[in-house]
Amino acid sequence: MVHLKTSAEVELIRISALLVSQTLAELAKILKPGITSELLNNRAEEFILDNGAVPSFKNYKGYPFATCISINDAVVHGFPNKKEIKEGDLVSIDVGVYKNGFHGDSAYTFGIQPVLEEHKLLMSVTRSSLLLGIEKAHLGNRVGDISCAIQDFAERKHHYGVVRELVGHGLGRSLHEDPQVPNFGKKGTGPKLKEGMVIAIEPMINLGTKDVIYDEDGWTVRTKDAKFSAHYEHTICIKRGKADILSSFVQIIESEIANPFLVDNY
Ligand code: MF3
Ligand code: CO
């Protein structure tokens, strides 16, 4: 069942989504070779709690951490750990927060300098595929129009692998609500987009094939061919004409540009 949000509810979701964005921007300030994903996770959790919110992911279906940090061939749901991040890594960080009764959810992939050109292109195509999906996310369209725009760009145009096992989703009082928002599909199909629908769009794009495997930890999703993967996610609200993007990459990109250890020109 789809829960349409009132404009007051959308404003509460915006507060949560912007806190996620701020958290990601904080992490972008301290990301550098030698830091561990565990430290990033702890900083995120502290920042979220300091801002009067709680991390949405911690204890969600037994997930043990505040964030998902998925490095290189890890696609999503990576466990923060004590391994040092190194030059050339692609670090995907997914954060959710719960505040005022509503969740916000966003993710971003950072590149630790120097990054291979083919990995920069993967990042840029994945981020662009998200923005192209958002362009289709308005009244009069259907979920399949979003899905198709992402797949057309990432798979048909750039020959990357679009992960099939995991999809975007509605969110609000729950982290995962209807509808599902796949990153693959056909134009003009699926549920109609309605004003006040709040959804997270989150393309997970692989440099190689679309196939993924699960780690022994039961959570971490990895590419089967061990090639790198990227993941960007926004929380948005459906409107007439053009989506209202509730999370924001602006502060994240500012941190990225100010941090000499991160790629910013991709
Ligand atoms: N953005 C991801 C999702 O919507 C994060 C969920 S991680 C989990 O599925 F641990 F909470 F499952
Ligand atoms: Co999500």
Side-chain angles (χ1 to χ4, degrees):
M1 185 189 150
V2 171
H3 298 280
L4 298 179
K5 277 74 183 180
T6 64
S7 52
E9 290 171 332
V10 172
E11 290 319 308
L12 294 179
I13 299 175
R14 191 191 310 277
I15 291 171
S16 297
L18 287 178
L19 178 55
V20 171
S21 306
Q22 262 189 309
T23 306
L24 289 168
E26 282 305 305
L27 300 185
K29 290 178 188 168
I30 58 172
L31 250 176
K32 61 175 180 183
I35 200 172
T36 66
S37 51
E38 183 182 76
L39 199 145
L40 294 168
N41 175 74
N42 293 346
R43 176 71 191 116
E45 186 162 8
E46 173 187 65
F47 188 80
I48 292 164
L49 296 173
D50 281 352
N51 281 280
V54 293
S56 303
F57 301 167
K58 200 170 181 175
N59 303 320
Y60 179 83
K61 294 186 176 167
Y63 185 80
F65 300 100
T67 64
C68 302
I69 305 188
S70 311
I71 301 176
N72 299 342
D73 63 316
V75 180
V76 288
H77 302 170
F79 279 10
N81 60 41
K82 292 185 176 357
K83 229 179 108 184
E84 289 185 0
I85 285 167
K86 57 185 191 309
E87 292 185 353
D89 281 352
L90 294 196
V91 182
S92 299
I93 309 182
D94 193 344
V95 177
V97 311
Y98 182 73
K99 187 173 176 170
N100 304 316
F102 289 91
H103 294 273
D105 187 5
S106 180
Y108 200 89
T109 299
F110 300 95
I112 311 297
Q113 296 263 36
V115 169
L116 292 176
E117 285 306 318
E118 61 173 356
H119 291 156
K120 284 187 198 170
L121 188 61
L122 172 68
M123 293 167 75
S124 104
V125 169
T126 306
R127 192 169 62 180
S128 298
S129 75
L130 168 60
L131 301 179
L132 289 167
I134 292 173
E135 279 182 24
K136 302 288 179 195
H138 55 74
L139 224 64
N141 275 352
R142 291 174 181 264
V143 168
D145 295 300
I146 302 171
S147 307
C148 185
I150 295 169
Q151 186 181 16
D152 271 347
F153 190 66
E155 200 170 82
R156 300 194 183 90
K157 180 159 181 183
H158 287 279
H159 306 287
Y160 290 141
V162 174
V163 175
R164 302 295 199 270
E165 284 79 355
L166 300 132
V167 296
H169 50 94
L171 74 163
R173 292 196 183 275
S174 303
L175 178 61
H176 292 143
E177 297 181 359
D178 286 339
Q180 293 199 347
V181 185
N183 300 301
F184 54 92
K186 276 173 81 161
K187 263 179 223 172
T189 66
K192 278 187 179 165
L193 298 172
K194 302 212 174 102
E195 193 144 18
M197 238 185 201
V198 173
I199 56 175
I201 306 179
E202 48 178 324
M204 289 148 265
I205 308 295
N206 301 342
L207 185 57
T209 73
K210 62 183 183 337
D211 300 331
V212 295
I213 49 172
Y214 282 82
D215 257 16
E216 306 81 272
D217 65 24
W219 277 97
T220 311
V221 178
R222 290 185 189 280
T223 60
K224 197 173 174 192
D225 59 14
K227 292 189 179 173
F228 284 22
S229 187
H231 178 217
Y232 293 82
E233 174 178 24
H234 266 315
T235 294
I236 69 153
C237 181
I238 303 297
K239 303 255 168 216
R240 186 173 294 280
K242 174 160 168 275
D244 186 359
I245 307 179
L246 304 178
S247 44
S248 168
F249 289 160
V250 171
Q251 292 163 291
I252 301 171
I253 291 170
E254 280 170 7
S255 298
E256 214 176 27
I257 290 169
N259 183 339
F261 298 107
L262 297 181
V263 262
D264 55 70
N265 56 337
Y266 55 91

